[in-house]
Amino acid sequence: MCSSGGPMADLSMKKLKTKKYKCLDCGNEFKGLGRKVICPSCQSDNVELRE
């Protein structure tokens, strides 16, 4: 693994406040964070927030 532009951050997904999403194109359910969430399976941005 390589890094450029600064130190590597040691982040754990368990510590981050992730939200559950469902892709409306392929049906994949996944956890994500950020403003623009993209399905890791099909790369679609047609996702909905799950409760």
Side-chain angles (χ1 to χ4, degrees), residues 13 17-51:
M13 287 299 283
K17 299 291 183 182
T18 58
K19 296 180 182 176
K20 294 181 182 179
Y21 292 90
K22 180 175 182 179
C23 178
L24 299 177
D25 289 338
C26 72
N28 184 33
E29 293 189 11
F30 60 95
K31 291 182 180 179
L33 57 101
R35 293 183 191 164
K36 184 159 176 74
V37 178
I38 296 175
C39 175
S41 182
C42 71
Q43 312 309 310
S44 172
D45 63 353
N46 187 19
V47 298
E48 72 176 2
L49 183 62
R50 305 294 282 189
E51 295 296 322

